[in-house]
Amino acid sequence: MLTYLFPISALLGGIIGVFAYAPFNYSFLAFISLLLLLTVIKYSKTNKQTLFSVFLWGMGYFTFGLNWINISVHQFGGLPTIAAYALVVLLAAYLSLFPMLFAWLIRKLAINQSIIFAILWTFTEFLRGWLFSGFPWLQFGYTQIDTFFASIAPFFGVQGITFVMVWLSALVLNVIDSLFINKQRHWLLTSSQALLAILLVGISYYSQQISFIKPNTTEKPLTITLVQGNIEQQLKWNPDYLYQSLDIHKNLVESQLGKSDIIILPESVLPLLENQLEPYITMLSRFSQQSHSAILLGTIYQKPNTEQLFNSLIALKPEQPYSIDNVPRYLKHHLVPFGEYIPLSWIKNILDIPFSDMSEGPYTQVPLDVKGAKFANAICYEIIFDNQVRHSVQNGADFILTVSNDAWFGTSIGPWQHFQMARMRALELGKPLIRATNTGVTAFIDAHGKIISQAPQFQQTTLTAQVTKVVGKTPFAALGSTPLYLLSVVLFILHLVGSVMRRVLVRRVVGK
């Protein structure tokens, strides 16, 4: 019976974990999922059973959590339904290798100390976010954005929250083990584990009282309007819908001219290359000059005299007439695999996704300076990379601006997970975040990761808010993940040294 219990429990544990994320937001289920995973690793009889069970955990977790990917590659990429789901399963299988590596290290090194569980998990998650350009989606720390554990983020980022979650889950498992399974353990060890778990929760709760950020009362707030055109993805690139799409956005912009300091349109909002729509953008630039409202919009830009395409964000400022060769511009750096570039040539021949052969912009770029405010930019997928956004903010940014087009993923859970991650960037870096999207989730988020205002999803609308600059800097904004990584390395080295010393002492005692 136990032979089947562990794999089934692991699979269910992986699926349960997804319900901790938006839009479900049952954040406590993240701990249940982790406990089931750690239980399987700790009590499976053989390494083979462990790795198989953990693989099933990963398949449940990533297949269910990332099922929305099939929508873009099937409905908009032209891949058959079975092939689209097969691609999701293949991606999930790859991502499952990282929890499997975690499990293998735990078993190989015979780890029992709870903090080493957290250190090894941090290591494997680092690899997942780095190898092959990285895919750090579904990090458990995001599930706690609306709990008191979120107060860890300004210190150690989302990875710090995940670290504490794994550590706490391992502590709980050790206490359960001491009380009900290996009852021969000394009561002092059990008590110390329980006390440490309570201490972790207490520190996390108390950290809510610490704030590194406060409003800048010396400067006038900016009135910013976000435009949500709500163009269905199947219509976006339809030539017959071109003029209707342009009119929709023109009318939404015109309704806010002179009322807002800045009007922001979403990612790749225009259904042709920027180079093909220079007259339209010149018209928007004239609107800006006449009304003194700056306009920011996402475009697909082809570098002159080359075949290079860039996903870009441009700023039309009242004091500067538009010129395609000389407009303040941000070029997207971190491209979406199987969306903006196809990593495997044979798949490229199958998929028919528009503009899937993009070039990447520089890693570090100067913030866009508009109306006396500097915007650190992240187009769509880039917002999930905390270190990249941190580097952008370090260049003197006042706000984080992310533009996106999540219409690729329809009514799925994908856009809500994406929005949750954007909120975490605001909390980590202590900067207000502005998010303009085509179909939602369009929102203003304060420097503590809280939603100021949010537009309804799948509605043609505008959203306006007064946005104030802040002063101060979070430890994570200053140092990033370096303290967490250094702490992990030091503690792991101490663990190894301690293990070696214990073995030497045992041998000496036995020798005597």
Side-chain angles (χ1 to χ4, degrees), residues 4 64 66 100 116 150 172 279 284 292 303 355 362 377 400 424 437 445 455 477:
Y4 300 101
F64 181 41
L66 300 173
M100 287 176 72
I116 306 301
V172 171
L284 294 180
H292 301 288
K303 191 173 182 180
F355 303 121
N377 305 292
I400 301 170
M424 185 62 75
T437 71
I445 301 164

Side-chain angles (χ1 to χ4, degrees), residues 255-280:
S255 70
Q256 301 299 318
L257 291 172
K259 302 176 184 177
S260 298
D261 296 305
I262 304 173
I263 302 168
I264 302 175
L265 288 79
E267 175 192 18
S268 60
V269 65
L270 306 178
L272 286 175
L273 293 176
E274 179 184 337
N275 312 59
Q276 299 169 305
L277 288 168
E278 288 188 67
Y280 181 85

